[in-house]
């Protein structure tokens, strides 16, 4: 694009959304080159629409100019989903933040995509309702991002991921057509296109409104913190709880290195820094049902070697326990300037051995690796703290990441539980899918986006890909941190 063409484009986009909502200066574009993953790439332009109609007009201009469009919410994705690896126009949905309706009798809400996750539960609370998917980033991440990533969270164990809570979607296709998918009743005959859009990471279109299921706030919640000398005993307790037939709302493990980081940070929760791991178990449901369940879990934890079990006495103490878990990623910022978060899932019964193997991989590569994870789901989050300014460190991080994924897949797992594939894990899709599977996905995507302009370079590897763990091939060498 020549400078003249660019100026004309900025003028045209400004006429749609207003000049304040078109970002084009290089220093301002920098803000949008990154999410919370490792990849970086600059958009050509950024626009912030306020209505579905504006989104329609924007994508039509992009289609005419043959420019990619990349939807973006809060940019907290952990797999490079909103990073414009092929340039183009980043469409930020954060101005579309209207909570259109909380329909109490039908227990649903209709929201625009820029609504922040926690705001929905806050709005529903006076009606005795909540929105169950609760990513640890829920204070900032948006519903649009949650839908696109099929996000989970600690309470996925009992309530499922975002896909279990989406009844309907309004989606703007890259050619400007507007689809109304699903229905407020939860029943929609024909192909499940809501299911196809949820988790499609912005590659099928732009979500401009979502109809979401709300659930009643449970009558009672109990939160228990079991302290262990080692992480393997904590993992065994998780297996024992599930085997016993109980279904807690959440079961989360924080390992020793993470505890140390949290306790040195503003998220400090008074966890014992000499513990090998803590297991956080939350139960919810009818008040009468919880005490026996709590005792059962306490006994199972003791059987597996818990050094101590604490039960939150009130809401403040519960919030304190959760602060350690939900603040864990933030606390990692104390350890190093960069963080690489993995997200593989393994069968729960294999957690102890896989975790040991993952830690050994980190040690072998001389990396600082810690674990905080959705143990009940078998959803691991090995976190590697590093500094990309140190020569060779990023290469070691990527090599270790590839080995971790291979280990999890070999144990019967998959490469992502909730953070999506994005650009970061795109080239590892072949670990879990055959060429025919990937081709079926390509054709599904083409049904929504035949020209491949909607968030290109994400999820699906290019055929004959061969750049696994090669930073040069992935362009990391072009993005020095300093
Ligand atoms: C500290 C921290 C903790 C986290 N904890 C969790 C967790 O517990 N569980 C979990 O699942 N994730 C977690 N995440 C990851 C992340 O927060 C989620 O993936 C979240 O859903 C991303 O929302 P966002 O608004 O930031 O989306 P972005 O990062 O902006 O975008 C994510 C993807 O969604 C697409 N997208 C965004 N908006 C739209 C739209 N309107 N239409 C179509 N596509 C769109 C983008 O193109 C991109 O592919 C965590 C992240 C951080 C930084």
């Amino acid at each position: 694009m020549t400078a003249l063409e660019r100026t004309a484009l900025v003028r045209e986009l400004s006429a749609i959304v207003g000049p304040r909502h078109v970002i084009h200066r290089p220093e301002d574009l920098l803000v949008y080159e990154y999410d919370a993953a490792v990849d970086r790439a600059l958009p050509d332009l950024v626009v912030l629409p306020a209505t579905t109609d504006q989104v329609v007009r924007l994508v039509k201009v992009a289609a005419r100019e043959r420019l990619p469009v990349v939807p973006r919410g809060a940019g907290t994705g952990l797999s490079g989903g909103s990073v414009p690896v092929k340039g183009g126009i980043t469409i930020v949905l954060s101005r579309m933040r209207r909570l259109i309706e909380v329909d109490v009798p039908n227990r649903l809400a209709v929201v625009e995509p820029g609504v922040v996750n926690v705001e929905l539960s806050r709005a529903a609370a006076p009606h005795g309702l909540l929105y169950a998917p609760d990513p640890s980033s829920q204070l900032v991440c948006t519903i649009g991002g949650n839908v696109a990533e099929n996000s989970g969270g600690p309470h996925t164990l009992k309530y499922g991921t975002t896909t279990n809570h989406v009844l309907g979607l309004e989606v703007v296709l890259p050619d400007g057509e507007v689809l109304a998918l699903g229905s407020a009743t939860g029943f929609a005959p024909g192909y499940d296109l809501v299911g196809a859009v949820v988790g499609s990471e912005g590659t099928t279109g732009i979500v401009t409104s979502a109809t979401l299921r709300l659930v009643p706030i449970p009558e009672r919640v109990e939160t228990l913190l079991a302290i262990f000398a080692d992480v393997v005993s904590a993992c065994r307790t998780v297996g024992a709880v599930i085997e016993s037939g109980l279904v807690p709302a959440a079961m989360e493990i924080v390992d020793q290195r993470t505890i140390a980081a949290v306790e040195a940070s503003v998220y400090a929760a008074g966890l014992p820094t000499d513990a090998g791991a803590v297991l956080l178990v939350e139960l919810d449901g009818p008040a009468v049902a919880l005490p026996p369940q709590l005792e059962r879990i306490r006994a199972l934890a003791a059987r597996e070697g818990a050094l101590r079990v604490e039960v939150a006495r009130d809401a403040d103490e519960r919030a304190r326990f959760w602060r350690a878990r939900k603040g864990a990623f933030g606390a990692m910022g104390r350890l190093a300037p960069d963080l690489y978060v993995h997200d593989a899932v393994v069968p729960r019964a294999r957690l102890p051995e896989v975790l040991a193997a993952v830690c050994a991989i980190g040690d072998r590569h001389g990396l600082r690796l810690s674990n905080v994870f959705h143990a009940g789901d078998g959803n691991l989050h090995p976190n590697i703290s590093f500094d990309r300014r140190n020569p060779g460190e990023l290469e070691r991080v990527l090599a270790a990441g590839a080995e971790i994924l291979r280990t999890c897949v070999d144990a019967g797992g998959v490469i992502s539980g909730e953070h999506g594939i994005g650009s970061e894990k795109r080239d590892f899709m072949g670990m879990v899918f055959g060429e025919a599977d990937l081709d079926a996905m390509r054709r599904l995507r083409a049904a929504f986006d035949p020209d491949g302009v909607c968030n290109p370079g994400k999820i699906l590897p290019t055929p004959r890909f061969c750049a696994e763990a090669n930073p040069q091939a992935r362009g990391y060498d072009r993005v020095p941190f300093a």
Side-chain angles (χ1 to χ4, degrees):
M1 199 185 327
T2 65
L4 262 179
E5 286 166 345
R6 187 179 160 82
T7 307
L9 187 58
V10 168
R11 201 173 307 123
E12 185 174 5
L13 298 178
S14 299
I16 297 172
V17 294
R20 278 187 59 214
H21 304 300
V22 179
I23 293 168
H24 56 92
R25 283 200 297 257
E27 62 273 27
D28 295 333
L29 291 173
L30 274 176
V31 175
Y32 298 92
E33 70 163 357
Y34 185 55
D35 62 2
V38 179
D39 289 354
R40 292 178 188 202
L42 276 173
D44 292 302
L45 294 169
V46 174
V47 287
L48 292 94
T51 64
T52 300
D53 181 56
Q54 290 182 1
V55 174
V56 168
R57 291 165 66 196
L58 291 171
V59 296
K60 282 184 174 167
V61 173
R64 189 196 67 212
E65 297 296 322
R66 295 177 184 276
L67 284 170
V69 287
V70 179
R72 184 179 174 105
T76 66
L78 288 165
S79 57
S82 60
V83 176
V85 291
K86 309 252 181 209
I89 302 180
T90 290
I91 300 188
V92 181
L93 284 309
S94 56
R95 285 180 68 218
M96 293 182 65
R97 58 193 320 157
R98 267 186 325 135
L99 229 152
I100 297 165
E101 183 186 9
V102 175
D103 177 346
V104 179
N106 290 307
R107 286 191 189 157
L108 59 85
V110 184
V111 302
E112 289 188 334
V115 166
V116 168
N117 175 294
V118 79
E119 284 171 6
L120 178 52
S121 282
R122 281 184 188 145
H127 309 288
L129 299 171
L130 65 81
Y131 179 60
D134 61 338
S136 301
S137 52
Q138 68 183 146
L139 291 178
V140 286
C141 69
T142 66
I143 294 295
N146 296 173
V147 168
E149 296 289 3
N150 188 18
S151 292
H155 292 86
T156 298
L157 178 59
K158 179 170 179 180
Y159 293 96
T161 57
T162 300
T163 195
N164 302 110
H165 302 270
V166 180
L167 299 169
L169 292 174
E170 180 181 80
V171 182
V172 176
L173 296 183
D175 64 0
E177 203 173 335
V178 182
L179 303 184
L181 304 177
S183 91
T185 62
F187 294 90
Y191 294 102
D192 178 11
L193 295 186
V194 171
V197 171
V198 176
S200 67
E201 304 186 26
T203 63
T204 49
I206 299 177
V207 173
T208 45
S209 104
T211 304
L212 304 170
R213 199 189 297 282
L214 300 174
V215 298
I217 295 175
E219 184 184 359
R220 182 153 165 184
V221 178
E222 295 284 2
T223 309
L224 168 154
L225 193 72
I227 293 146
F228 291 89
D230 59 88
V231 76
V232 169
S233 312
C235 289
R236 275 206 306 263
T237 305
V238 170
V241 171
I242 297 293
E243 205 179 322
S244 76
L246 295 174
V247 185
M251 283 201 281
E252 303 281 307
I253 290 180
V254 185
D255 78 355
Q256 199 276 327
R257 291 177 189 175
T258 310
I259 295 172
V262 167
E263 288 306 315
S265 78
V266 291
Y267 304 105
L271 301 185
T273 47
D274 55 349
V278 297
L279 169 64
L280 188 68
V281 183
E282 189 150 285
L283 294 162
D284 67 16
V288 66
L290 296 200
Q293 293 185 24
L294 199 62
E295 287 319 307
R296 189 83 203 280
I297 291 172
R298 197 197 281 271
L300 289 170
R303 192 189 79 189
E304 298 301 335
L307 304 172
R308 202 167 77 235
V309 174
E310 295 174 16
V311 177
R313 279 164 302 200
D314 52 32
D316 284 348
E317 196 158 44
R318 175 171 310 113
R320 177 169 70 82
F321 289 176
W322 275 111
R323 194 164 65 236
R325 167 61 186 90
K326 295 214 170 184
F329 287 167
M332 296 291 162
R334 295 181 58 82
L335 303 184
D338 293 292
L339 183 67
Y340 191 28
V341 183
H342 265 292
D343 167 44
V345 186
V346 296
R348 243 174 331 244
R350 311 279 305 260
L351 272 177
E353 65 184 277
V354 171
L355 213 56
V358 163
C359 291
I361 291 169
D363 290 345
R364 188 152 31 78
H365 286 275
L367 296 167
R368 226 179 324 184
L369 185 146
S370 52
N371 292 281
V372 49
F373 55 104
H374 306 308
D377 297 311
N379 186 189
L380 291 176
H381 287 338
N383 296 317
I384 306 177
S385 303
F386 71 104
D387 184 343
R388 73 170 79 199
R389 292 168 300 188
N390 295 335
E393 199 159 316
L394 180 59
E395 284 81 350
R396 282 187 288 127
V397 169
L398 296 175
E403 280 182 44
I404 289 170
L405 292 180
R406 170 51 63 201
T407 303
C408 293
V409 171
D410 286 349
V414 294
I415 60 176
S416 172
E418 55 180 17
H419 299 169
I421 300 300
S423 52
E424 180 213 309
K425 280 178 296 227
R426 182 194 60 189
D427 303 327
F428 300 111
M429 285 287 273
M431 280 188 187
V432 273
F433 297 108
E435 198 41 51
D437 310 325
L438 292 172
D439 205 46
M441 291 188 206
R442 275 186 205 106
R443 280 179 278 138
L444 175 66
R445 177 174 176 169
F448 289 87
D449 178 23
D451 298 325
V453 293
C454 212
N455 209 2
K458 306 296 163 61
I459 304 183
L460 294 170
T462 45
R464 291 197 309 278
F465 172 79
C466 62
E468 271 195 16
N470 174 353
Q472 258 81 8
R474 302 192 55 171
Y476 292 131
D477 55 321
R478 289 185 283 102
V479 288
F481 184 84

